Amino acid sequence: MSVIHVENLYKRYNGVEAVRGVTFDVREGETFGFLGPNGAGKTTTISILCTLLGFDSGIAMVNRYDCRTEPQKVRSSIGLVFQEFTLDNELTAYENLKFHCYLYGMDRSLTERRIEEALDVVNLSGRKLDLVRKFSGGMKRRLEIARGLLHRPRVLFLDEPTLGLDPQTRSNVWEFIMKLKKAAGSTLFMTTHYMEEAEVCDRIAIMDNGRIIACDRPDELKRSIKGDTVYIKTVDDASASREIEEKFLLKPKMIEAGLSVNVEAGEKFVPQLFAGMKTEIKSVNLKKPSLEDVFLNLTGREIRDYGPAPRAPGLRGR
Ligand code: ATP
């Protein structure tokens, strides 16, 4: 069953077409990611689904509620974690969570139980009565994500949930996101431009210039590249290159660190290479395609080529 249904969605800002005919469905229990460079239209789409932004045409449904005509029902059925911190620094961790439960009309015993559980999952039980002001960036983020799931939303939206955190804290935050998702049984919808974060998703929609250019499981997307890259260092790269061309009918590229060659299945090619080459091989490295390669293959550009884009109103309090 679809918990999010989007069909032919369009959004323009004063002539800028931010979202151009986007269509996708998210199934119950999925972790679904929007991956794309700055300015691709990810935040605009998530803002529309969270009813923080209107749209020009198309259909946007969340939990079977229409984002245009039933925004209150959409809002009460979702959780939302913004890019920026929205905790109250002058309240304790416990008070921040309690305030959230109060806003969602949860009774006292449920409130206490859920807060205890949430603090336990994100490893902050010992800091329950500390002011949030004293927390590190990673601790604040964990607390915010725990807060977003206290009322057990059917869908939790996360807009670039680990932006600005260092790599170690980011992976630690992801561990907690997955634990919380399991405990709450929610569907996750997230945006990111970090390739490695998109890998945790069951499915990814790759967005570019306001359009979805591919949507599938990460492994399927990578399989679509049809090939691995093998990096080879030899005692004589020029003669190794000629040998590879003749014996394997492949076209190696000369690179700074030796040769690179694209093959369909690297794990089959490497033993053949060792068995068939006369030129002495010094080292071989096999690289499976990454999501970065998928983006490059689809657009001819690298996802990291982009600079920051102007920000849309809505999610980030711009
Ligand atoms: P980022 O992570 O950098 O925000 P994004 O993929 O979330 O990227 P959006 O913020 O949705 O992209 O922006 C999509 C397009 O809409 C971009 O071209 C951006 O310049 C434009 N845009 C966003 N907000 C506004 C606005 N308030 N007014 C005009 N154009 C906007």
Side-chain angles (χ1 to χ4, degrees):
M1 198 194 74
S2 294
V3 286
I4 299 176
H5 173 70
V6 174
E7 209 176 306
N8 214 14
L9 189 71
Y10 278 85
K11 170 71 188 171
R12 259 171 236 98
Y13 302 100
N14 307 320
V16 178
E17 285 202 303
V19 175
R20 307 191 286 159
V22 161
T23 297
F24 65 95
D25 276 86
V26 179
R27 300 173 204 133
E28 179 125 48
E30 261 192 316
T31 299
F32 188 91
F34 255 21
L35 175 70
N38 294 125
K42 307 179 299 293
T43 297
T44 301
T45 309
I46 206 172
S47 305
I48 291 170
L49 292 173
C50 296
T51 75
L52 294 167
L53 195 64
F55 52 100
D56 299 317
S57 61
I59 299 171
M61 310 276 295
V62 174
N63 293 319
R64 298 199 175 162
Y65 300 125
D66 189 320
C67 294
R68 197 194 292 277
T69 57
E70 301 170 291
Q72 285 303 341
K73 287 184 177 160
V74 171
R75 283 176 203 178
S76 59
S77 71
I78 63 171
L80 178 55
V81 177
F82 297 84
Q83 277 184 17
E84 275 127 20
F85 293 115
T86 59
L87 294 164
D88 190 327
N89 275 322
E90 301 311 318
L91 296 180
T92 63
Y94 171 76
E95 286 165 341
N96 268 287
L97 299 187
K98 194 170 176 188
F99 182 58
H100 180 89
C101 294
Y102 169 75
L103 290 179
Y104 279 86
M106 290 161 57
D107 70 37
R108 190 180 294 180
S109 75
L110 187 63
T111 295
E112 295 303 325
R113 200 167 66 239
R114 292 262 173 91
I115 290 178
E116 292 303 325
E117 266 172 32
L119 288 173
D120 184 43
V121 175
V122 295
N123 250 352
L124 287 172
S125 298
R127 307 295 301 266
K128 177 177 167 179
L129 300 177
D130 287 355
L131 288 179
V132 164
R133 169 156 52 86
K134 296 180 185 161
F135 284 12
S136 68
M139 288 162 72
K140 285 184 184 175
R141 196 43 15 142
R142 271 148 53 194
L143 188 64
E144 275 195 306
I145 293 162
R147 181 182 64 174
L149 284 164
L150 279 174
H151 59 291
R152 298 292 185 263
R154 291 187 60 200
V155 188
L156 178 67
F157 289 93
L158 300 155
D159 188 32
E160 301 265 6
T162 59
L163 195 76
L165 301 178
D166 63 76
Q168 201 187 332
T169 311
R170 271 168 42 205
S171 84
N172 173 265
V173 165
W174 271 106
E175 196 188 313
F176 288 112
I177 290 178
M178 287 316 186
K179 272 194 192 163
L180 281 165
K181 173 188 175 350
K182 205 165 161 205
S186 303
T187 302
L188 288 190
F189 182 100
M190 55 171 261
T191 70
T192 185
H193 63 272
Y194 295 121
M195 303 289 157
E196 62 282 14
E197 293 194 346
E199 297 273 358
V200 306
C201 295
D202 297 310
R203 283 190 308 140
I204 303 168
I206 300 186
M207 228 184 159
D208 188 38
N209 279 326
R211 290 208 170 96
I212 291 180
I213 53 172
C215 182
D216 212 328
R217 297 204 324 256
D219 54 341
E220 286 299 328
L221 287 169
K222 287 187 268 183
R223 232 193 299 274
S224 71
I225 296 273
K226 286 197 172 55
D228 302 334
T229 309
V230 180
Y231 296 96
I232 308 157
K233 277 190 204 166
T234 67
V235 290
D236 180 351
D237 291 334
S239 71
S241 177
R242 281 194 300 277
E243 236 190 298
I244 291 170
E245 271 196 73
E246 283 161 19
K247 288 195 177 130
F248 302 101
L249 305 177
L250 293 167
K251 284 232 167 290
K253 277 188 223 132
M254 285 282 201
I255 54 170
E256 210 176 316
L259 299 171
S260 83
V261 57
N262 288 332
V263 296
E264 205 166 304
E267 62 280 11
K268 285 192 187 143
F269 173 71
V270 171
Q272 291 169 2
L273 184 76
F274 276 102
M277 292 284 285
K278 284 207 181 80
T279 313
E280 191 189 329
I281 297 171
K282 283 161 70 181
S283 70
V284 170
N285 267 311
L286 168 61
K287 186 177 166 276
K288 292 277 170 196
S290 64
L291 290 171
E292 181 89 51
D293 299 324
V294 176
F295 187 80
L296 184 70
N297 189 50
L298 289 166
T299 64
R301 301 186 310 275
E302 287 192 24
I303 208 164
R304 292 179 221 279
D305 280 347
Y306 293 71
R311 312 218 129 168
L315 278 182
R316 297 171 198 149
R318 314 155 203 230

